[in-house]
Amino acid sequence: MGKIDQQTVYIFGDSFAIDVPKSWPLYVKEAIGDRYSFNNHAHGGASNDYSEYIMRNQGLKRKDKNTIGMFFISHPRRLWLQGQTDVVIQGQDVEQLRFRAKNNHKASVEQLKNLYSQRLVDQYEGAYYLVGNDKIRWERELRKILCSINHHARLYKKFFVFFSFEDSLHLYRQLDITFNNLDVIDRFAMDSLNREDQSFFNSVNHLSRPQRRGFAKVMIDCIEKTSFDYSVLNKEWRQYDYLPKKGSL
Amino acid sequence: MNLYVFGDSYAEFSPNGWLDRWQRKNANSKVHCYAMGGSAIEHAENQMWKYGVRKRLKNSNDIGMFFVSSPYRMWLDCHIDTTIHGNDSKQLKERRKIQPKSQEQLDHLKRNNIVKYYDGAYYFVAWDTQRHLRDMHRTFCSIDYHAKNYSQFFVFFCFEDALRTYKRLEQTSWKNINVVDNFAFDKIAQDPKRPGNILPFFRDAPNHMNEHQNRTFAYTLDSSIKNKKFDYTLFDAFWERYDYTYNESRE
């Protein structure tokens, strides 16, 4: 019997992809962990620019024909503050902030407090969000992030991009750009982002148990067949209207 | 041939500037110049996607050029992303229609010595290497991806500090762009040893270049397009040679 090459799956993004007990990445690992190794760098509360930064630092450095990449795009309002000293605030704890404070960014805490007191940022469930909608900025940032992911993705056998939130998906569809190294899952978002409706933060990966199990099955297929099948999702997920709405992002 | 130009004042169309000279010599070619004095890198990147070539046509001979400004130059990314650039207040007025708080936020940043105004553009007072590297990487990924729509695409550095930042990027092999990385038009926009002290780099001449420089650059551009490779040979006589190697003590 010939030796089977073990394949690797890299996962980047926000809390919809984190590796915690009973989460969908763990179900996937339990099912196909003998044939695949997993490097999960997703982080709760991670902003897109933070995940992109992690991807370039922790992801592949040279081409590997056996590796699959996945990136879960977070909400555009989620914050990696780009003020003077580049305050970095994200994550479900203050670890990131402490790291920055150690690294010559001692003004970070003070700046954040200042912005918070001026209601320029909002805090929710461990992550900071910019207040207000700036579509021009969000589009620009998303385009640059996707261009960087696309550039990085050339090193992988296949690279999937998922949208954690409906409003990010709206933005993507308005960019009207297709990427040659990416398989963008653009007919589905893990959740809506209705700030009044906090229910999506209540469970593992913010998904119900049937959703987690269903999504794990889809992802196993996705990894093994290197294609994403939308049809299985219809049973468990709300179908969103992805056409831009007046007044939405 | 169509020539698309993006970037800051070094690429802005001005009478007797290098672009004007090139256009006169290549009367059959059409110049589309979206460069603007005071443009931040992000602004130029945005203009590129907005006005550049979105789809490559068969047998098209579109040439692109991007002039990378200083990382210090600012497109404010605070709260509502105040956008301040340009030699006049037109951009600000446009933004204020969309984001009425822009002026108020800018005033706040000026009062707190976070930004400084110099000759038509705003600059960050402090240098943030990590941020500049991150931003530059993303911008180059974006330019490289956009550049697939052109037959050739050249990238130039207007300032030495941008070039030195570029030299520190881990990834500098691109598929679609020809990066002219052995030359910058001018020195840094600010003095790293004295943050906030903006150097008087602007020469009162078209594109901040003297006549010889404008002429040389127009000529070099012509031969570079024909040879599909940038030709540095004429430059030594007219430009100061900078030390482009990274030196930590200077950051």
Side-chain angles (χ1 to χ4, degrees):
Chain A
M1 227 171 111
K3 189 189 168 191
I4 300 170
D5 285 343
Q6 193 178 47
Q7 300 193 31
T8 310
V9 180
Y10 279 83
I11 301 173
F12 310 100
D14 65 3
S15 52
F16 283 83
I18 51 170
D19 223 358
V20 286
K22 296 184 180 174
S23 63
W24 69 260
L26 275 204
Y27 288 145
V28 172
K29 205 183 276 185
E30 280 167 17
I32 57 172
D34 55 333
R35 282 169 286 141
Y36 295 85
S37 64
F38 291 84
N39 284 313
N40 193 333
H41 299 283
H43 192 322
S47 62
N48 290 327
D49 38 0
Y50 176 73
S51 298
E52 183 259 4
Y53 179 76
I54 294 295
M55 174 191 76
R56 289 195 287 115
N57 279 280
Q58 307 291 328
L60 284 182
K61 300 289 181 197
R62 63 176 65 181
K63 196 168 176 67
D64 185 340
K65 60 183 171 61
N66 276 330
T67 301
I68 292 169
M70 293 178 178
F71 195 110
F72 285 74
I73 299 274
S74 191
H75 190 265
R77 280 210 305 260
R78 195 164 285 176
L79 179 81
W80 187 348
L81 260 184
Q82 294 195 322
Q84 186 200 1
T85 54
D86 189 21
V87 185
V88 180
I89 312 290
Q90 68 263 316
Q92 286 171 328
D93 51 41
V94 292
E95 193 185 326
Q96 302 290 329
L97 182 55
R98 284 191 187 132
F99 173 79
R100 292 292 289 185
K102 272 187 208 164
N103 288 274
N104 299 320
H105 291 270
K106 288 176 184 166
S108 298
V109 182
E110 200 181 310
Q111 287 195 355
L112 182 72
K113 280 181 187 165
N114 190 15
L115 289 162
Y116 193 63
S117 69
Q118 291 179 64
R119 297 186 176 182
L120 298 178
V121 298
D122 196 7
Q123 190 187 21
Y124 181 69
E125 283 278 341
Y128 285 85
Y129 293 84
L130 290 166
V131 172
N133 289 340
D134 189 336
K135 195 182 157 211
I136 297 168
R137 176 186 177 179
W138 309 145
E139 279 188 4
R140 201 175 73 220
E141 295 300 322
L142 184 60
R143 184 179 58 223
K144 282 198 289 186
I145 295 283
L146 285 167
C147 284
S148 175
I149 299 171
N150 183 62
H151 185 72
H152 180 77
R154 77 197 187 287
L155 305 174
Y156 297 71
K157 175 183 171 186
K158 189 91 175 181
F159 203 106
F160 296 92
V161 174
F162 295 89
F163 290 92
S164 297
F165 298 103
E166 191 190 9
D167 39 10
S168 304
L169 180 53
H170 277 163
L171 275 182
Y172 169 73
R173 292 171 82 101
Q174 286 171 46
L175 290 180
D176 192 26
I177 303 173
T178 51
F179 293 97
N180 55 340
N181 299 321
L182 303 179
D183 195 342
V184 182
I185 309 305
D186 62 355
R187 286 162 46 206
F188 155 76
M190 304 289 276
D191 217 325
S192 62
L193 186 64
N194 178 356
R195 303 292 302 283
E196 304 303 317
D197 171 15
Q198 301 178 0
S199 62
F200 69 89
F201 276 120
N202 286 344
S203 53
V204 180
N205 295 128
H206 317 310
L207 308 176
S208 66
R209 196 171 166 187
Q211 282 179 322
R212 270 177 276 145
R213 288 207 173 275
F215 195 66
K217 278 184 194 165
V218 175
M219 294 308 265
I220 290 164
D221 254 19
C222 179
I223 291 163
E224 297 205 305
K225 295 179 185 166
T226 59
S227 64
F228 187 82
D229 181 5
Y230 290 91
S231 61
V232 186
L233 290 168
N234 292 345
K235 294 173 198 164
E236 309 292 349
W237 264 267
R238 182 179 132 198
Q239 294 300 297
Y240 300 117
D241 171 16
Y242 295 124
L243 294 172
K245 294 168 197 161
K246 198 178 178 185
S248 69
L249 263 178
Chain B
M1 183 198 295
N2 285 302
L3 181 67
Y4 287 80
V5 185
F6 309 100
D8 64 4
S9 53
Y10 287 78
E12 202 170 29
F13 191 94
S14 54
N16 286 324
W18 62 264
L19 192 52
D20 185 21
R21 287 166 190 268
W22 186 86
Q23 171 73 95
R24 275 186 263 146
K25 200 182 167 201
N26 296 274
N28 293 331
S29 299
K30 190 170 181 189
V31 170
H32 306 261
C33 183
Y34 299 101
M36 189 170 77
S39 282
I41 299 170
E42 297 159 293
H43 176 245
E45 186 261 0
N46 207 49
Q47 297 294 90
M48 178 186 76
W49 278 101
K50 198 170 175 186
Y51 298 110
V53 179
R54 290 304 293 260
K55 191 178 179 186
R56 186 169 183 173
L57 300 173
K58 207 175 179 183
N59 301 323
S60 70
N61 196 14
D62 295 324
I63 311 286
M65 301 177 87
F66 193 106
F67 288 72
V68 178
S69 193
S70 171
Y72 273 127
R73 194 165 286 175
M74 183 184 68
W75 188 349
L76 266 182
D77 270 342
C78 282
H79 177 39
I80 53 168
D81 189 19
T82 314
T83 303
I84 313 291
H85 40 66
N87 283 324
D88 53 42
S89 59
K90 193 178 162 198
Q91 300 291 328
L92 180 57
K93 280 178 189 158
E94 279 176 15
R95 290 297 287 183
R96 281 163 72 183
K97 280 183 204 162
I98 308 166
Q99 304 287 1
K101 277 189 170 180
S102 299
Q103 184 63 58
E104 195 184 313
Q105 290 199 346
L106 184 70
D107 291 342
H108 172 81
L109 291 161
K110 277 195 286 188
R111 269 198 310 276
N112 287 280
N113 201 31
I114 291 169
V115 298
K116 191 164 181 164
Y117 180 82
Y118 179 73
D119 209 8
Y122 284 86
Y123 296 85
F124 286 108
V125 169
W127 180 269
D128 188 333
T129 306
Q130 291 308 315
R131 178 191 171 175
H132 297 325
L133 282 168
R134 218 169 56 221
D135 285 346
M136 192 165 280
H137 171 82
R138 289 178 193 147
T139 303
F140 268 82
C141 287
S142 172
I143 299 171
D144 186 47
Y145 194 67
H146 178 77
K148 69 182 171 38
N149 302 329
Y150 300 74
S151 63
Q152 291 184 68
F153 202 106
F154 294 95
V155 180
F156 297 91
F157 293 92
C158 296
F159 300 103
E160 191 192 6
D161 53 2
L163 178 52
R164 282 195 289 122
T165 304
Y166 176 78
K167 295 267 191 185
R168 292 187 65 190
L169 293 182
E170 282 180 22
Q171 169 65 45
T172 53
S173 63
W174 309 103
K175 199 176 171 188
N176 306 306
I177 52 180
N178 188 346
V179 182
V180 181
D181 63 355
N182 198 20
F183 159 75
F185 285 95
D186 224 320
K187 290 186 177 180
I188 50 175
Q190 291 196 43
D191 184 353
K193 288 178 183 168
R194 289 182 294 166
N197 180 35
I198 298 162
L199 297 169
F201 58 90
F202 286 123
R203 279 184 281 279
D204 187 17
N207 302 114
H208 316 308
M209 298 178 202
N210 63 34
E211 193 182 338
H212 289 306
Q213 287 173 323
N214 269 304
R215 198 189 299 276
T216 310
F217 192 71
Y219 180 83
T220 304
L221 175 61
D222 217 22
S223 66
S224 300
I225 290 171
K226 279 172 193 150
N227 299 323
K228 297 188 175 182
K229 188 183 172 188
F230 193 76
D231 179 9
Y232 292 93
T233 53
L234 288 168
F235 273 51
D236 287 343
F238 300 110
W239 266 271
E240 189 180 336
R241 305 304 292 171
Y242 302 119
D243 174 15
Y244 298 125
T245 51
Y246 170 63
N247 182 344
E248 192 143 9
S249 65
R250 295 179 67 182
E251 291 292 336

